[in-house]
Amino acid sequence: MAVDTKTDQGTVVTMEKIVELCKRRGFIFQSSEIYGGIGSTWDYGPLGAELKRNVKEAWWQDNVRVREDMVGLDAAILMNPRVWEASGHIESFTDPLVDCKMCKQRFRADQIVADVCPACGGELTEARQFNLMFKTFMGPVEEEAAVVYLRPETAQGIFVNFKNVQMSTRKKLPFGIAQIGKSFRNEITPGNFIFRTREFEQMEIEYFVMPGTDEEHHARWIEERYNWYLKYGINPDRLRLRAHDPDELAHYAKATTDIEYLFPIGWSELEGIANRTDFDLRQHMEYSGENMAYFDEESGKSVVPYVIEPSGGVDRSLLAFMVDAYDEEIIEKGDKKEKRTVLRFHKALAPVKVAVLPLLRNRPEIVDTARKLASQLRPVMSTMYDDTASIGRLYRRQDEIGTLWCVTVDVQTVEEDNQVTIRDRDTMEQIRVPIEEVKPLLLERLSA
Ligand SMILES: [Zn+2]
């Protein structure tokens, strides 16, 4: 289903526009493109790498560093296969698949409308369960005993470390453990650019609470996580909450609410906030034989905590921020009209904060002054220097990647007043300031 996602100015943002801009400006490339690519796998280019770091940094700052009740973790992707038995992934992390006997293509049984192959009309096999975990072998021998899996979620790395973290940090309930990392799911039907990929990055929190207080913590996390997206500029008209019906709940969940964003492909999940109860800790207690209970000093009793899990996707969030930031507007230039494409990223997310541009690239003193200013700004904020086009064109390039400010060095700077022009991305207003004031002024605006 295609949906017109319109900007404030009424621009229709299509996935094609986003994909094209991402490739042209170096946000996201197809993986192994020179070999024809590989299914639904993408590489983040120079600007995409910066943007992705900024998304993760904002999440970590807000959910870990500023909170007394949260700590971080960075667990390994490879885990003892018993983990996936305990979690239920080996048994039930599956999709039902059918094969076409004629053309040999494979489809998800729940997406087949008729009883025949949608590609060739051939006869289909009975549905079989297909596990979505990627398998590989640990060590040199490729045998069943050496099978390990690439983790399909970061959550289990947190659960199995619950006791380690609690004992080493002396945290009392309620407290949470946060983790950002790659996960892998062998999806049969990935797609829609970076929305659904087989290799992806998660930002997950497992928040451990006393049983009986889980519902209030669940409600609070839903609100906090919803507000987080608003804080970084997501348009509230394109953000909504959707509670799962009882029949779509995962086997471990008592309740789940999704935060959905209106992507160009329609309303789709950005993040899920699940009440996982004590399911995971109890499973690991049973399978490992380790006691994972928490001793509550107040009551003098041992309890197995309940868990609230806000689980978001880095790549999806990045895509939402990208779609939401995208804008096209018509600006008047004298008696001419011109289209301006601008990514209105939140200042914390913008991959480039400032661009320093010499007005004339054939005047050495202008170029030298601009380069010197750029090198002063680089250690404190993401800075770009560009002298490869006329100033109008340089502005358009920076708008298109969401650069917050353009600082221009001109003839007047070097011949008269030692002042430069700072242009604001959103208002396009220009102010003139002494060159030594640029750094403190921009730092102040960034932290405001
Ligand atoms: Zn077929």
Side-chain angles (χ1 to χ4, degrees), residues 186-211:
N186 203 1
E187 303 270 2
I188 309 310
T189 48
N192 290 318
F193 196 32
I194 56 169
F195 180 79
R196 191 182 302 282
T197 52
R198 295 185 174 105
E199 173 181 346
F200 57 102
E201 205 161 3
Q202 293 184 295
M203 306 185 280
E204 287 197 308
I205 293 166
E206 306 302 329
Y207 196 76
F208 300 92
V209 306
M210 291 293 281

Side-chain angles (χ1 to χ4, degrees), residues 116-170:
V116 293
C117 171
C120 75
E123 193 188 338
L124 297 172
T125 61
E126 290 289 301
R128 288 177 300 119
Q129 292 299 323
F130 174 83
N131 197 289
L132 297 181
M133 285 194 291
F134 276 92
K135 255 187 201 180
T136 186
F137 299 96
M138 185 165 262
V141 187
E142 295 191 7
E143 58 180 23
E144 198 55 32
V147 165
V148 289
Y149 301 92
L150 303 188
R151 67 180 176 197
E153 61 177 27
T154 61
Q156 298 303 327
I158 297 178
F159 292 127
V160 300
N161 276 297
F162 170 71
K163 208 75 196 172
N164 283 337
V165 173
Q166 198 273 324
M167 299 292 269
S168 58
T169 62
R170 299 275 146 204

Side-chain angles (χ1 to χ4, degrees), residues 62-81:
D62 295 334
N63 289 292
V64 184
R65 294 215 182 103
V66 303
R67 296 182 63 126
E68 199 185 346
D69 60 344
M70 292 284 300
V71 291
L73 182 76
D74 187 354
I77 287 171
L78 301 175
M79 302 181 77
N80 188 310

